[in-house]
């Protein structure tokens, strides 16, 4: 049986880094989608607009990692003190290949209007997934219970919140750039977006202490 330290998986410095990266990586992409017409917002539904996006969108990008981190902190059983996970060069290559495949699929989907938003999400998320999986997908697999629960709860919460926002007309997805497929009334593009973004956060938070501990012990 693995022993666990009493220290949570969540480290404040990791949360800060992930929030900063999320802002830098997401804001240009998000604004581009608005300019392209993939989504829009009701003029009477936002407080202000910065660049092309509502200020509420920037607050969401800022707060989503914090919400996921707080949840992970609550459920975290502690970092394994006797972890013996080994990541080989082949493992790292596999992580890069799978993440790269996500990027390629997304890029192909960009060429059709109806799959443009879906492709944009996959092409945008692929490089991040490739990096995280190359760093330590075997470790993430070993922590699969914490990973799944850590991703599932904030994702379900945001699915519900987004479904309400769309139904209320707070913001609108373009029929031209979406598939029209839905999951319990939520467009699959939105369901995928919240799934991958929470995966970014939770995977990053789980990997951070593991990488630091390995670096210190080397």
């Amino acid at each position: 049986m693995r022993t666990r330290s009493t220290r949570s998986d969540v480290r404040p410095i990791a949360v800060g880094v992930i929030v900063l990266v999320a802002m830098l990586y997401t804001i240009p992409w998000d604004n581009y989608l608005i300019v392209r017409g993939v989504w829009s917002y009701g003029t009477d539904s936002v407080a202000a607009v910065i660049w092309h996006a509502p200020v509420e969108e920037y607050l969401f990008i800022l707060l989503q990692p914090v919400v996921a981190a707080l949840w992970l902190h609550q459920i975290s059983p502690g970092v394994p003190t006797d972890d013996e996970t080994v990541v080989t060069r082949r493992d790292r290559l596999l992580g890069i290949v799978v993440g790269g495949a996500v990027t390629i699929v997304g890029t192909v989907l960009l060429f059709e209007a109806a799959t443009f938003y879906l492709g944009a999400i996959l092409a945008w998320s692929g490089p991040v997934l490739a990096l995280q999986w190359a760093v330590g997908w075997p470790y993430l697999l070993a922590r699969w219970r914490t990973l799944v629960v850590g991703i599932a709860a904030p994702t379900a919460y945001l699915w519900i919140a987004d479904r309400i926002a769309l139904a209320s007309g707070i913001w609108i997805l373009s029929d031209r750039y979406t598939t029209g497929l839905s999951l319990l009334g939520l467009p699959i593009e939105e369901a995928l977006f919240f799934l991958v973004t929470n995966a970014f956060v939770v995977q990053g938070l789980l990997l951070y202490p593991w990488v630091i501990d390995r670096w210190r012990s080397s």
Side-chain angles (χ1 to χ4, degrees):
M1 180 181 294
R2 282 188 167 189
T3 58
R4 304 278 177 174
S5 70
T6 56
R7 190 173 185 185
S8 168
D9 284 289
V10 180
R11 308 292 167 83
I13 188 172
V15 177
V17 170
I18 288 174
V19 168
L20 178 61
V21 171
M23 297 291 286
L24 294 176
Y25 193 61
T26 306
I27 286 174
W29 177 81
D30 204 43
N31 277 270
Y32 168 73
L33 293 181
I34 295 174
V35 172
R36 184 65 184 262
V38 173
W39 69 273
S40 57
Y41 47 89
T43 55
D44 297 328
S45 302
V46 299
V49 174
I50 301 175
W51 197 0
H52 300 287
V55 66
E56 293 87 350
E57 183 74 1
Y58 298 104
L59 290 174
F60 165 75
I61 297 170
L62 174 68
L63 292 175
Q64 183 188 357
V66 176
V67 171
L70 290 172
W71 168 247
L72 182 62
H73 177 70
Q74 291 298 315
I75 67 166
S76 172
V79 181
T81 58
D82 57 351
D83 177 72
E84 297 180 354
T85 302
V86 175
V87 181
T88 65
R89 289 185 178 180
R90 181 175 295 182
D91 291 331
R92 298 191 191 282
L93 179 60
L94 179 60
I96 293 172
V97 169
V98 176
V102 173
T103 305
I104 292 170
V105 170
T107 302
V108 172
L109 293 177
L110 291 173
F111 290 94
E112 293 291 335
T115 56
F116 183 83
Y117 187 24
L118 183 62
I121 295 170
L122 293 174
W124 169 79
S125 63
V128 179
L129 295 174
L131 175 61
Q132 292 183 330
W133 291 342
V135 168
W137 70 262
Y139 177 73
L140 294 172
L141 184 61
R143 302 289 308 280
W144 70 269
R145 292 181 180 84
T146 302
L147 179 67
V148 170
V149 177
I151 293 172
T155 298
Y157 168 74
L158 290 173
W159 282 355
I160 294 170
D162 194 55
R163 178 69 181 84
I164 294 171
L166 287 168
S168 301
I170 294 175
W171 69 295
I172 306 99
L173 286 181
S174 166
D175 291 334
R176 178 184 179 188
Y177 293 117
T178 53
T179 61
L181 301 174
S182 63
L183 176 65
L184 300 177
L186 180 68
I188 60 168
E189 293 86 355
E190 288 298 284
L192 177 63
F193 173 78
F194 292 119
L195 177 63
V196 297
T197 50
N198 281 309
F200 293 167
V201 176
V202 176
Q203 290 182 159
L205 292 173
L206 290 176
L207 286 170
Y208 178 83
W210 178 73
V211 170
I212 294 300
D213 289 346
R214 286 167 61 91
W215 175 71
R216 288 174 176 171
S217 61
S218 62

